[in-house]
Amino acid sequence: MSKMIDLIRVDAVPASIIQSAARGELSIPDADSLEILVHLAQHSETYGEQARWTLEDWEEEALRSSAASTHTAPEVLQYLTQNLRPSYLMAIMTNPSVPDAALMDLAKSGPREAVLLMSDNARVAGSIEILRALTKNPFLMGSAALAVKQKIWIAEGNIASEFTDEAHADKVLAELAPDEAQPDNVLDEELNAYLLERAAELEAIMQQEFQPIGAIQEDAPQAEEPLAEAAVAAAAASAVAARQKARPEVERLSVLAKISKLNVKGRIQLAFKGSKEERSILIRDSTKLVAQAVLDSPKISDGEVEKIANQRNVLEAVLRGISMKRRFMKNYMIVRNLTFNPRTPMDVALGLMKHLQAADLKGLSGSKDVSDTVRKLATKMYKQKMNPFKKSTD
């Protein structure tokens, strides 16, 4: 660290010198001048604005050299990462002196150019934390999203089943897109086709009121607490945690009130165009057309369907409907959840068991929730998988 920056930090420099420094007019090396400018830009009320203007006009080549140098002060590297320019983006990502925390921030909120480069960067690929942060960036989509997600699966050792590549690809592309990402014209076309196909049935039940299957609070979302917070939770934080936990339930009741005022057609429209929270309630509608509309919504993700396939408070027609959609059947967790769900129609469960891995067949064979028929077949199939060359005597 330069002598000048040391003096500026402790207010041991005349105002006229600091003013000159904020204008970039001191006869000192570029690296030292940049460090002073960044410090003033972030910590000086008097000279901060001038320092920021000077940094805006700083030569691109000088910035790129600083971004690439391992000797650049950490504060400068942090500033360059937060105020990124395309000219030194690659230098920032390849500089080992740039901390992972800075790259994580860039991954979460960086521009489209940064997202595209980071999705195919060796350093990023070596850090599962940065990869996970990158999945939260709204600019990550399409093949880049799939590439990042695949790197995460490999790092976590989760690529194991015969369904993996195609199923995970569909799941990633569905879940990374926010609810608002579907164009209205696409939603309208899908919705109109659904309503037209079922026009006669819809006319007969138009005024049926919303009646959810089971108590609506049964699967109300719970506030998630990170393990680290749970481990250090104290009495003083309990009241705050309780309020945070109650908030989703208040919001859920508000959504429920909105849904209760709609007729069948209105609920179908909401199933297609509504939010994830609204779909989670409408899937439990005792009116079959509404519940099935949730599954037909272009906005529904595989993650949502995984949870639905595990629910016992939905119509059997919903579970059967999931099994009839090829997109969902490419997802192993959906297949597994349907098979383990005692509410799944018997013929559906038996037909899906051939896709289960040995560990899940073993678990199913000991499950007290499913029928004897399912348990017995699971036991037989497990033995066959473990001893493929031994003829079963069951």
Side-chain angles (χ1 to χ4, degrees), residues 70-104:
T70 57
H71 301 296
T72 300
E75 187 177 22
V76 174
L77 290 175
Q78 181 76 29
Y79 184 90
L80 293 177
T81 304
Q82 293 173 344
N83 298 270
L84 201 62
R85 297 185 190 179
S87 60
Y88 58 79
L89 172 57
M90 184 58 71
I92 283 289
M93 289 197 300
T94 56
N95 187 343
S97 294
V98 176
D100 280 1
L103 289 185
M104 286 177 66

PDB file of all heavy atoms in Angstrom, residues 70-104:
ATOM      1  N   THR A  70      -2.038  -9.409  -9.979  1.00  0.00           N
ATOM      2  CA  THR A  70      -2.209 -10.028  -8.650  1.00  0.00           C
ATOM      3  C   THR A  70      -1.727  -9.093  -7.545  1.00  0.00           C
ATOM      4  O   THR A  70      -1.923  -9.388  -6.363  1.00  0.00           O
ATOM      5  CB  THR A  70      -1.433 -11.351  -8.580  1.00  0.00           C
ATOM      6  OG1 THR A  70      -0.046 -11.105  -8.890  1.00  0.00           O
ATOM      7  CG2 THR A  70      -1.995 -12.362  -9.567  1.00  0.00           C
ATOM      8  N   HIS A  71      -1.074  -7.994  -7.911  1.00  0.00           N
ATOM      9  CA  HIS A  71      -0.573  -7.036  -6.912  1.00  0.00           C
ATOM     10  C   HIS A  71      -1.553  -5.906  -6.661  1.00  0.00           C
ATOM     11  O   HIS A  71      -1.321  -5.068  -5.789  1.00  0.00           O
ATOM     12  CB  HIS A  71       0.771  -6.458  -7.381  1.00  0.00           C
ATOM     13  CG  HIS A  71       1.837  -7.484  -7.596  1.00  0.00           C
ATOM     14  ND1 HIS A  71       2.350  -8.250  -6.574  1.00  0.00           N
ATOM     15  CD2 HIS A  71       2.466  -7.891  -8.731  1.00  0.00           C
ATOM     16  CE1 HIS A  71       3.269  -9.078  -7.061  1.00  0.00           C
ATOM     17  NE2 HIS A  71       3.353  -8.885  -8.367  1.00  0.00           N
ATOM     18  N   THR A  72      -2.640  -5.866  -7.393  1.00  0.00           N
ATOM     19  CA  THR A  72      -3.642  -4.807  -7.196  1.00  0.00           C
ATOM     20  C   THR A  72      -4.289  -4.961  -5.833  1.00  0.00           C
ATOM     21  O   THR A  72      -4.597  -6.077  -5.387  1.00  0.00           O
ATOM     22  CB  THR A  72      -4.702  -4.870  -8.299  1.00  0.00           C
ATOM     23  OG1 THR A  72      -4.070  -4.683  -9.565  1.00  0.00           O
ATOM     24  CG2 THR A  72      -5.750  -3.793  -8.114  1.00  0.00           C
ATOM     25  N   ALA A  73      -4.519  -3.837  -5.159  1.00  0.00           N
ATOM     26  CA  ALA A  73      -5.120  -3.866  -3.827  1.00  0.00           C
ATOM     27  C   ALA A  73      -6.503  -4.520  -3.864  1.00  0.00           C
ATOM     28  O   ALA A  73      -7.272  -4.298  -4.807  1.00  0.00           O
ATOM     29  CB  ALA A  73      -5.238  -2.437  -3.285  1.00  0.00           C
ATOM     30  N   PRO A  74      -6.821  -5.328  -2.848  1.00  0.00           N
ATOM     31  CA  PRO A  74      -8.131  -6.007  -2.801  1.00  0.00           C
ATOM     32  C   PRO A  74      -9.311  -5.043  -2.934  1.00  0.00           C
ATOM     33  O   PRO A  74     -10.311  -5.367  -3.574  1.00  0.00           O
ATOM     34  CB  PRO A  74      -8.124  -6.691  -1.432  1.00  0.00           C
ATOM     35  CG  PRO A  74      -6.681  -6.899  -1.125  1.00  0.00           C
ATOM     36  CD  PRO A  74      -5.973  -5.711  -1.705  1.00  0.00           C
ATOM     37  N   GLU A  75      -9.203  -3.853  -2.341  1.00  0.00           N
ATOM     38  CA  GLU A  75     -10.299  -2.883  -2.405  1.00  0.00           C
ATOM     39  C   GLU A  75     -10.542  -2.435  -3.841  1.00  0.00           C
ATOM     40  O   GLU A  75     -11.680  -2.225  -4.260  1.00  0.00           O
ATOM     41  CB  GLU A  75      -9.972  -1.678  -1.521  1.00  0.00           C
ATOM     42  CG  GLU A  75     -11.125  -0.694  -1.381  1.00  0.00           C
ATOM     43  CD  GLU A  75     -10.805   0.453  -0.453  1.00  0.00           C
ATOM     44  OE1 GLU A  75      -9.601   0.735  -0.240  1.00  0.00           O
ATOM     45  OE2 GLU A  75     -11.749   1.081   0.051  1.00  0.00           O
ATOM     46  N   VAL A  76      -9.453  -2.314  -4.619  1.00  0.00           N
ATOM     47  CA  VAL A  76      -9.583  -1.913  -6.015  1.00  0.00           C
ATOM     48  C   VAL A  76     -10.213  -3.034  -6.835  1.00  0.00           C
ATOM     49  O   VAL A  76     -11.103  -2.795  -7.659  1.00  0.00           O
ATOM     50  CB  VAL A  76      -8.211  -1.523  -6.603  1.00  0.00           C
ATOM     51  CG1 VAL A  76      -8.324  -1.241  -8.097  1.00  0.00           C
ATOM     52  CG2 VAL A  76      -7.647  -0.304  -5.879  1.00  0.00           C
ATOM     53  N   LEU A  77      -9.761  -4.255  -6.606  1.00  0.00           N
ATOM     54  CA  LEU A  77     -10.331  -5.396  -7.326  1.00  0.00           C
ATOM     55  C   LEU A  77     -11.825  -5.532  -7.031  1.00  0.00           C
ATOM     56  O   LEU A  77     -12.626  -5.827  -7.913  1.00  0.00           O
ATOM     57  CB  LEU A  77      -9.595  -6.682  -6.948  1.00  0.00           C
ATOM     58  CG  LEU A  77      -8.162  -6.810  -7.458  1.00  0.00           C
ATOM     59  CD1 LEU A  77      -7.512  -8.083  -6.915  1.00  0.00           C
ATOM     60  CD2 LEU A  77      -8.123  -6.811  -8.986  1.00  0.00           C
ATOM     61  N   GLN A  78     -12.189  -5.321  -5.763  1.00  0.00           N
ATOM     62  CA  GLN A  78     -13.596  -5.400  -5.378  1.00  0.00           C
ATOM     63  C   GLN A  78     -14.402  -4.322  -6.111  1.00  0.00           C
ATOM     64  O   GLN A  78     -15.490  -4.584  -6.630  1.00  0.00           O
ATOM     65  CB  GLN A  78     -13.735  -5.214  -3.872  1.00  0.00           C
ATOM     66  CG  GLN A  78     -15.162  -5.312  -3.341  1.00  0.00           C
ATOM     67  CD  GLN A  78     -15.648  -6.746  -3.290  1.00  0.00           C
ATOM     68  OE1 GLN A  78     -14.871  -7.675  -3.130  1.00  0.00           O
ATOM     69  NE2 GLN A  78     -16.954  -6.936  -3.434  1.00  0.00           N
ATOM     70  N   TYR A  79     -13.847  -3.126  -6.191  1.00  0.00           N
ATOM     71  CA  TYR A  79     -14.537  -2.018  -6.861  1.00  0.00           C
ATOM     72  C   TYR A  79     -14.684  -2.307  -8.352  1.00  0.00           C
ATOM     73  O   TYR A  79     -15.746  -2.082  -8.947  1.00  0.00           O
ATOM     74  CB  TYR A  79     -13.767  -0.714  -6.645  1.00  0.00           C
ATOM     75  CG  TYR A  79     -14.464   0.501  -7.216  1.00  0.00           C
ATOM     76  CD1 TYR A  79     -15.364   1.231  -6.454  1.00  0.00           C
ATOM     77  CD2 TYR A  79     -14.231   0.914  -8.530  1.00  0.00           C
ATOM     78  CE1 TYR A  79     -16.014   2.347  -6.977  1.00  0.00           C
ATOM     79  CE2 TYR A  79     -14.871   2.017  -9.062  1.00  0.00           C
ATOM     80  CZ  TYR A  79     -15.758   2.737  -8.278  1.00  0.00           C
ATOM     81  OH  TYR A  79     -16.408   3.832  -8.803  1.00  0.00           O
ATOM     82  N   LEU A  80     -13.628  -2.806  -8.973  1.00  0.00           N
ATOM     83  CA  LEU A  80     -13.680  -3.102 -10.398  1.00  0.00           C
ATOM     84  C   LEU A  80     -14.693  -4.206 -10.693  1.00  0.00           C
ATOM     85  O   LEU A  80     -15.349  -4.188 -11.738  1.00  0.00           O
ATOM     86  CB  LEU A  80     -12.295  -3.511 -10.903  1.00  0.00           C
ATOM     87  CG  LEU A  80     -11.226  -2.410 -10.898  1.00  0.00           C
ATOM     88  CD1 LEU A  80      -9.884  -2.980 -11.360  1.00  0.00           C
ATOM     89  CD2 LEU A  80     -11.638  -1.242 -11.779  1.00  0.00           C
ATOM     90  N   THR A  81     -14.811  -5.142  -9.787  1.00  0.00           N
ATOM     91  CA  THR A  81     -15.781  -6.224  -9.970  1.00  0.00           C
ATOM     92  C   THR A  81     -17.205  -5.699  -9.859  1.00  0.00           C
ATOM     93  O   THR A  81     -18.100  -6.101 -10.611  1.00  0.00           O
ATOM     94  CB  THR A  81     -15.549  -7.336  -8.931  1.00  0.00           C
ATOM     95  OG1 THR A  81     -14.195  -7.791  -9.016  1.00  0.00           O
ATOM     96  CG2 THR A  81     -16.482  -8.517  -9.168  1.00  0.00           C
ATOM     97  N   GLN A  82     -17.421  -4.791  -8.920  1.00  0.00           N
ATOM     98  CA  GLN A  82     -18.762  -4.240  -8.720  1.00  0.00           C
ATOM     99  C   GLN A  82     -19.147  -3.224  -9.789  1.00  0.00           C
ATOM    100  O   GLN A  82     -20.333  -2.985 -10.024  1.00  0.00           O
ATOM    101  CB  GLN A  82     -18.844  -3.591  -7.336  1.00  0.00           C
ATOM    102  CG  GLN A  82     -18.739  -4.582  -6.185  1.00  0.00           C
ATOM    103  CD  GLN A  82     -18.651  -3.899  -4.837  1.00  0.00           C
ATOM    104  OE1 GLN A  82     -18.369  -2.695  -4.746  1.00  0.00           O
ATOM    105  NE2 GLN A  82     -18.881  -4.656  -3.770  1.00  0.00           N
ATOM    106  N   ASN A  83     -18.145  -2.604 -10.430  1.00  0.00           N
ATOM    107  CA  ASN A  83     -18.393  -1.604 -11.467  1.00  0.00           C
ATOM    108  C   ASN A  83     -17.768  -2.096 -12.777  1.00  0.00           C
ATOM    109  O   ASN A  83     -16.915  -1.445 -13.375  1.00  0.00           O
ATOM    110  CB  ASN A  83     -17.805  -0.254 -11.056  1.00  0.00           C
ATOM    111  CG  ASN A  83     -18.434   0.287  -9.789  1.00  0.00           C
ATOM    112  OD1 ASN A  83     -19.427   0.995  -9.836  1.00  0.00           O
ATOM    113  ND2 ASN A  83     -17.849  -0.043  -8.643  1.00  0.00           N
ATOM    114  N   LEU A  84     -18.242  -3.240 -13.198  1.00  0.00           N
ATOM    115  CA  LEU A  84     -17.600  -3.995 -14.270  1.00  0.00           C
ATOM    116  C   LEU A  84     -17.729  -3.320 -15.631  1.00  0.00           C
ATOM    117  O   LEU A  84     -18.741  -2.712 -15.953  1.00  0.00           O
ATOM    118  CB  LEU A  84     -18.231  -5.381 -14.331  1.00  0.00           C
ATOM    119  CG  LEU A  84     -17.435  -6.476 -15.013  1.00  0.00           C
ATOM    120  CD1 LEU A  84     -16.127  -6.727 -14.281  1.00  0.00           C
ATOM    121  CD2 LEU A  84     -18.257  -7.749 -15.057  1.00  0.00           C
ATOM    122  N   ARG A  85     -16.667  -3.475 -16.422  1.00  0.00           N
ATOM    123  CA  ARG A  85     -16.682  -3.072 -17.830  1.00  0.00           C
ATOM    124  C   ARG A  85     -16.275  -4.275 -18.675  1.00  0.00           C
ATOM    125  O   ARG A  85     -15.424  -5.074 -18.255  1.00  0.00           O
ATOM    126  CB  ARG A  85     -15.696  -1.928 -18.082  1.00  0.00           C
ATOM    127  CG  ARG A  85     -16.006  -0.646 -17.333  1.00  0.00           C
ATOM    128  CD  ARG A  85     -15.054   0.460 -17.750  1.00  0.00           C
ATOM    129  NE  ARG A  85     -15.174   1.628 -16.886  1.00  0.00           N
ATOM    130  CZ  ARG A  85     -14.427   2.728 -17.020  1.00  0.00           C
ATOM    131  NH1 ARG A  85     -13.535   2.793 -18.007  1.00  0.00           N
ATOM    132  NH2 ARG A  85     -14.561   3.731 -16.198  1.00  0.00           N
ATOM    133  N   PRO A  86     -16.851  -4.418 -19.854  1.00  0.00           N
ATOM    134  CA  PRO A  86     -16.516  -5.560 -20.709  1.00  0.00           C
ATOM    135  C   PRO A  86     -15.036  -5.674 -21.025  1.00  0.00           C
ATOM    136  O   PRO A  86     -14.513  -6.770 -21.193  1.00  0.00           O
ATOM    137  CB  PRO A  86     -17.336  -5.290 -21.982  1.00  0.00           C
ATOM    138  CG  PRO A  86     -18.474  -4.429 -21.527  1.00  0.00           C
ATOM    139  CD  PRO A  86     -17.915  -3.581 -20.430  1.00  0.00           C
ATOM    140  N   SER A  87     -14.324  -4.537 -21.055  1.00  0.00           N
ATOM    141  CA  SER A  87     -12.913  -4.549 -21.449  1.00  0.00           C
ATOM    142  C   SER A  87     -12.024  -5.328 -20.491  1.00  0.00           C
ATOM    143  O   SER A  87     -10.976  -5.845 -20.879  1.00  0.00           O
ATOM    144  CB  SER A  87     -12.390  -3.113 -21.586  1.00  0.00           C
ATOM    145  OG  SER A  87     -12.512  -2.421 -20.363  1.00  0.00           O
ATOM    146  N   TYR A  88     -12.399  -5.395 -19.213  1.00  0.00           N
ATOM    147  CA  TYR A  88     -11.545  -6.135 -18.272  1.00  0.00           C
ATOM    148  C   TYR A  88     -12.294  -7.265 -17.557  1.00  0.00           C
ATOM    149  O   TYR A  88     -11.839  -7.771 -16.533  1.00  0.00           O
ATOM    150  CB  TYR A  88     -10.911  -5.180 -17.252  1.00  0.00           C
ATOM    151  CG  TYR A  88     -11.868  -4.362 -16.408  1.00  0.00           C
ATOM    152  CD1 TYR A  88     -12.512  -4.919 -15.311  1.00  0.00           C
ATOM    153  CD2 TYR A  88     -12.099  -3.028 -16.698  1.00  0.00           C
ATOM    154  CE1 TYR A  88     -13.358  -4.165 -14.523  1.00  0.00           C
ATOM    155  CE2 TYR A  88     -12.946  -2.269 -15.922  1.00  0.00           C
ATOM    156  CZ  TYR A  88     -13.579  -2.840 -14.839  1.00  0.00           C
ATOM    157  OH  TYR A  88     -14.426  -2.086 -14.052  1.00  0.00           O
ATOM    158  N   LEU A  89     -13.419  -7.670 -18.109  1.00  0.00           N
ATOM    159  CA  LEU A  89     -14.200  -8.748 -17.506  1.00  0.00           C
ATOM    160  C   LEU A  89     -13.396 -10.037 -17.396  1.00  0.00           C
ATOM    161  O   LEU A  89     -13.342 -10.675 -16.332  1.00  0.00           O
ATOM    162  CB  LEU A  89     -15.465  -8.982 -18.337  1.00  0.00           C
ATOM    163  CG  LEU A  89     -16.318 -10.199 -17.968  1.00  0.00           C
ATOM    164  CD1 LEU A  89     -16.750 -10.136 -16.517  1.00  0.00           C
ATOM    165  CD2 LEU A  89     -17.542 -10.270 -18.879  1.00  0.00           C
ATOM    166  N   MET A  90     -12.755 -10.451 -18.489  1.00  0.00           N
ATOM    167  CA  MET A  90     -11.997 -11.694 -18.468  1.00  0.00           C
ATOM    168  C   MET A  90     -10.818 -11.605 -17.503  1.00  0.00           C
ATOM    169  O   MET A  90     -10.488 -12.580 -16.817  1.00  0.00           O
ATOM    170  CB  MET A  90     -11.509 -12.032 -19.875  1.00  0.00           C
ATOM    171  CG  MET A  90     -10.786 -13.376 -19.963  1.00  0.00           C
ATOM    172  SD  MET A  90     -11.817 -14.764 -19.414  1.00  0.00           S
ATOM    173  CE  MET A  90     -12.992 -14.839 -20.768  1.00  0.00           C
ATOM    174  N   ALA A  91     -10.197 -10.423 -17.414  1.00  0.00           N
ATOM    175  CA  ALA A  91      -9.079 -10.245 -16.490  1.00  0.00           C
ATOM    176  C   ALA A  91      -9.523 -10.448 -15.050  1.00  0.00           C
ATOM    177  O   ALA A  91      -8.812 -11.074 -14.238  1.00  0.00           O
ATOM    178  CB  ALA A  91      -8.475  -8.856 -16.677  1.00  0.00           C
ATOM    179  N   ILE A  92     -10.691  -9.930 -14.717  1.00  0.00           N
ATOM    180  CA  ILE A  92     -11.220 -10.095 -13.357  1.00  0.00           C
ATOM    181  C   ILE A  92     -11.446 -11.561 -13.035  1.00  0.00           C
ATOM    182  O   ILE A  92     -11.085 -12.061 -11.961  1.00  0.00           O
ATOM    183  CB  ILE A  92     -12.545  -9.304 -13.202  1.00  0.00           C
ATOM    184  CG1 ILE A  92     -12.264  -7.814 -13.031  1.00  0.00           C
ATOM    185  CG2 ILE A  92     -13.375  -9.822 -12.020  1.00  0.00           C
ATOM    186  CD1 ILE A  92     -11.652  -7.439 -11.694  1.00  0.00           C
ATOM    187  N   MET A  93     -12.027 -12.298 -13.964  1.00  0.00           N
ATOM    188  CA  MET A  93     -12.381 -13.694 -13.693  1.00  0.00           C
ATOM    189  C   MET A  93     -11.167 -14.608 -13.601  1.00  0.00           C
ATOM    190  O   MET A  93     -11.213 -15.633 -12.949  1.00  0.00           O
ATOM    191  CB  MET A  93     -13.346 -14.202 -14.761  1.00  0.00           C
ATOM    192  CG  MET A  93     -14.725 -13.602 -14.656  1.00  0.00           C
ATOM    193  SD  MET A  93     -15.953 -14.526 -15.567  1.00  0.00           S
ATOM    194  CE  MET A  93     -15.308 -14.411 -17.217  1.00  0.00           C
ATOM    195  N   THR A  94     -10.088 -14.223 -14.268  1.00  0.00           N
ATOM    196  CA  THR A  94      -8.902 -15.080 -14.263  1.00  0.00           C
ATOM    197  C   THR A  94      -7.852 -14.648 -13.253  1.00  0.00           C
ATOM    198  O   THR A  94      -6.832 -15.325 -13.093  1.00  0.00           O
ATOM    199  CB  THR A  94      -8.268 -15.104 -15.668  1.00  0.00           C
ATOM    200  OG1 THR A  94      -7.977 -13.768 -16.091  1.00  0.00           O
ATOM    201  CG2 THR A  94      -9.203 -15.771 -16.660  1.00  0.00           C
ATOM    202  N   ASN A  95      -8.070 -13.548 -12.567  1.00  0.00           N
ATOM    203  CA  ASN A  95      -7.112 -13.064 -11.573  1.00  0.00           C
ATOM    204  C   ASN A  95      -7.331 -13.807 -10.254  1.00  0.00           C
ATOM    205  O   ASN A  95      -8.363 -13.635  -9.610  1.00  0.00           O
ATOM    206  CB  ASN A  95      -7.289 -11.556 -11.366  1.00  0.00           C
ATOM    207  CG  ASN A  95      -6.210 -10.958 -10.469  1.00  0.00           C
ATOM    208  OD1 ASN A  95      -5.507 -11.663  -9.746  1.00  0.00           O
ATOM    209  ND2 ASN A  95      -6.081  -9.642 -10.530  1.00  0.00           N
ATOM    210  N   PRO A  96      -6.357 -14.610  -9.826  1.00  0.00           N
ATOM    211  CA  PRO A  96      -6.537 -15.378  -8.583  1.00  0.00           C
ATOM    212  C   PRO A  96      -6.651 -14.512  -7.339  1.00  0.00           C
ATOM    213  O   PRO A  96      -7.086 -14.994  -6.286  1.00  0.00           O
ATOM    214  CB  PRO A  96      -5.283 -16.265  -8.537  1.00  0.00           C
ATOM    215  CG  PRO A  96      -4.273 -15.549  -9.366  1.00  0.00           C
ATOM    216  CD  PRO A  96      -5.054 -14.868 -10.449  1.00  0.00           C
ATOM    217  N   SER A  97      -6.246 -13.239  -7.442  1.00  0.00           N
ATOM    218  CA  SER A  97      -6.352 -12.350  -6.285  1.00  0.00           C
ATOM    219  C   SER A  97      -7.768 -11.844  -6.057  1.00  0.00           C
ATOM    220  O   SER A  97      -8.076 -11.304  -4.993  1.00  0.00           O
ATOM    221  CB  SER A  97      -5.403 -11.151  -6.452  1.00  0.00           C
ATOM    222  OG  SER A  97      -4.061 -11.557  -6.433  1.00  0.00           O
ATOM    223  N   VAL A  98      -8.630 -11.979  -7.050  1.00  0.00           N
ATOM    224  CA  VAL A  98     -10.034 -11.599  -6.868  1.00  0.00           C
ATOM    225  C   VAL A  98     -10.688 -12.665  -6.005  1.00  0.00           C
ATOM    226  O   VAL A  98     -10.708 -13.847  -6.371  1.00  0.00           O
ATOM    227  CB  VAL A  98     -10.763 -11.493  -8.218  1.00  0.00           C
ATOM    228  CG1 VAL A  98     -12.241 -11.204  -8.004  1.00  0.00           C
ATOM    229  CG2 VAL A  98     -10.135 -10.403  -9.072  1.00  0.00           C
ATOM    230  N   PRO A  99     -11.212 -12.312  -4.838  1.00  0.00           N
ATOM    231  CA  PRO A  99     -11.787 -13.323  -3.937  1.00  0.00           C
ATOM    232  C   PRO A  99     -13.054 -13.958  -4.491  1.00  0.00           C
ATOM    233  O   PRO A  99     -13.774 -13.341  -5.289  1.00  0.00           O
ATOM    234  CB  PRO A  99     -12.083 -12.524  -2.656  1.00  0.00           C
ATOM    235  CG  PRO A  99     -12.236 -11.110  -3.118  1.00  0.00           C
ATOM    236  CD  PRO A  99     -11.305 -10.952  -4.281  1.00  0.00           C
ATOM    237  N   ASP A 100     -13.302 -15.195  -4.069  1.00  0.00           N
ATOM    238  CA  ASP A 100     -14.502 -15.891  -4.514  1.00  0.00           C
ATOM    239  C   ASP A 100     -15.767 -15.119  -4.166  1.00  0.00           C
ATOM    240  O   ASP A 100     -16.749 -15.152  -4.905  1.00  0.00           O
ATOM    241  CB  ASP A 100     -14.565 -17.286  -3.880  1.00  0.00           C
ATOM    242  CG  ASP A 100     -13.680 -18.276  -4.605  1.00  0.00           C
ATOM    243  OD1 ASP A 100     -13.006 -17.889  -5.576  1.00  0.00           O
ATOM    244  OD2 ASP A 100     -13.658 -19.458  -4.200  1.00  0.00           O
ATOM    245  N   ALA A 101     -15.740 -14.423  -3.029  1.00  0.00           N
ATOM    246  CA  ALA A 101     -16.930 -13.667  -2.607  1.00  0.00           C
ATOM    247  C   ALA A 101     -17.292 -12.607  -3.637  1.00  0.00           C
ATOM    248  O   ALA A 101     -18.478 -12.368  -3.912  1.00  0.00           O
ATOM    249  CB  ALA A 101     -16.687 -13.018  -1.250  1.00  0.00           C
ATOM    250  N   ALA A 102     -16.264 -11.972  -4.228  1.00  0.00           N
ATOM    251  CA  ALA A 102     -16.527 -10.953  -5.238  1.00  0.00           C
ATOM    252  C   ALA A 102     -17.115 -11.582  -6.496  1.00  0.00           C
ATOM    253  O   ALA A 102     -18.024 -11.026  -7.120  1.00  0.00           O
ATOM    254  CB  ALA A 102     -15.241 -10.204  -5.573  1.00  0.00           C
ATOM    255  N   LEU A 103     -16.601 -12.759  -6.867  1.00  0.00           N
ATOM    256  CA  LEU A 103     -17.139 -13.443  -8.038  1.00  0.00           C
ATOM    257  C   LEU A 103     -18.550 -13.953  -7.789  1.00  0.00           C
ATOM    258  O   LEU A 103     -19.368 -14.008  -8.706  1.00  0.00           O
ATOM    259  CB  LEU A 103     -16.215 -14.602  -8.433  1.00  0.00           C
ATOM    260  CG  LEU A 103     -14.860 -14.204  -9.030  1.00  0.00           C
ATOM    261  CD1 LEU A 103     -14.096 -15.447  -9.481  1.00  0.00           C
ATOM    262  CD2 LEU A 103     -15.023 -13.238 -10.193  1.00  0.00           C
ATOM    263  N   MET A 104     -18.845 -14.323  -6.552  1.00  0.00           N
ATOM    264  CA  MET A 104     -20.203 -14.761  -6.221  1.00  0.00           C
ATOM    265  C   MET A 104     -21.187 -13.607  -6.397  1.00  0.00           C
ATOM    266  O   MET A 104     -22.290 -13.795  -6.925  1.00  0.00           O
ATOM    267  CB  MET A 104     -20.254 -15.306  -4.793  1.00  0.00           C
ATOM    268  CG  MET A 104     -19.606 -16.676  -4.634  1.00  0.00           C
ATOM    269  SD  MET A 104     -19.602 -17.254  -2.933  1.00  0.00           S
ATOM    270  CE  MET A 104     -21.378 -17.451  -2.663  1.00  0.00           C
TER     271      MET A 104
END
